[in-house]
Amino acid sequence: MSETQPDSYGVDYGSTPSPGRGASRRLSLLREALETLLLAVVAFALIRLAVQNYRIEGPSMEPTLHQGQFLLVNRLAYRLEELERGDIVVFRLPGSRRRDLIKRVVGLPNERLEIVSGQVWINGKRLDEPYIPEPGRYSYPRTAIEPDHVFVMGDNRNNSSDSRRWGSLPLANIIGKAAFCYWPPQLWGPVQHERPTAE
């Protein structure tokens, strides 16, 4: 008979769970938990390959970016698009393995750059930079930007350590393009990359 019956003591042996079923269930739950954890780790690794967070330290990018702002940096930006003058980039400081900075790209590879009384000249043309908060008190001799390098500066030119101090930046040092501000809430939104024009 396929139907189980209780014995003379009233015990239904056919309804007793198999000892192996409980262990199998626990193994199944453990496997699901491990798969979920592995998926989360892989997803996190992929996100970190594409995006990095960055905290603004110091006033060098005022008034565009502010001390204490938190940004998301697009690490894949320059695999998908060309770097342009005006881009705000995060990069490793030349000669340092640990220090990352954020500045604006002002001079491009193979251009001739000169700064006279705070005014930037590119290939003999004056650069109009609407994001500069005040006239500069600095000059920089005419220089040829090397291939595969850019010249970067902070928007707060009188309070910025940048290419004027340590030279042009190798493209290989660029980590990514500033993409989005996620803190504080009142500054939430995409980072604006104003484009200077040469006149």
Side-chain angles (χ1 to χ4, degrees):
M1 292 176 62
S2 60
E3 187 176 343
T4 60
Q5 297 291 335
D7 64 8
S8 58
Y9 295 102
V11 177
D12 185 355
Y13 291 104
S15 65
T16 303
S18 167
R21 290 177 63 190
S24 175
R25 175 76 176 149
R26 286 193 296 273
L27 281 173
S28 177
L29 288 172
L30 180 62
R31 186 184 308 113
E32 286 178 19
L34 287 173
E35 287 174 355
T36 302
L37 179 63
L38 181 62
L39 224 83
V41 169
V42 169
F44 178 77
L46 290 174
I47 290 170
R48 289 297 291 175
L49 281 174
V51 178
Q52 176 176 317
N53 59 319
Y54 181 81
R55 181 180 186 272
I56 304 293
E57 295 180 3
S60 72
M61 284 299 294
E62 296 278 0
T64 308
L65 300 171
H66 308 282
Q67 167 83 26
Q69 264 185 274
F70 283 85
L71 308 178
L72 294 178
V73 178
N74 182 352
R75 294 171 61 96
L76 302 180
Y78 299 120
R79 294 179 185 271
L80 306 171
E81 63 186 69
E82 291 291 323
L83 183 144
E84 296 183 65
R85 193 187 327 279
D87 283 356
I88 298 172
V89 296
V90 172
F91 57 90
R92 289 185 308 278
L93 177 65
S96 172
R97 292 184 178 181
R98 296 185 178 181
R99 191 174 179 198
D100 297 340
L101 299 179
I102 186 166
K103 306 291 177 187
R104 189 184 297 273
V105 175
V106 176
L108 298 173
N110 301 309
E111 291 184 333
R112 297 187 315 278
L113 176 143
E114 182 180 13
I115 305 175
V116 180
S117 299
Q119 178 62 63
V120 178
W121 295 76
I122 299 288
N123 295 334
K125 295 183 178 179
R126 187 178 66 84
L127 206 62
D128 179 27
E129 300 181 275
Y131 41 78
I132 301 299
E134 60 183 4
R137 303 186 300 269
Y138 50 87
S139 294
Y140 192 83
R142 183 177 301 176
T143 184
I145 302 171
E146 303 163 65
D148 299 320
H149 286 66
V150 288
F151 199 93
V152 296
M153 289 194 280
D155 289 355
N156 187 2
R157 298 286 164 81
N158 293 319
N159 292 284
S160 174
S161 173
D162 47 42
S163 286
R164 293 168 295 167
R165 181 173 179 181
W166 35 259
S168 57
L169 173 72
L171 293 177
N173 282 47
I174 294 178
I175 294 167
K177 183 178 181 180
F180 195 89
C181 173
Y182 65 91
W183 190 264
Q186 65 269 25
L187 298 176
W188 187 90
V191 175
Q192 300 300 317
H193 300 263
E194 290 187 75
R195 306 290 177 205
T197 54
E199 300 176 346

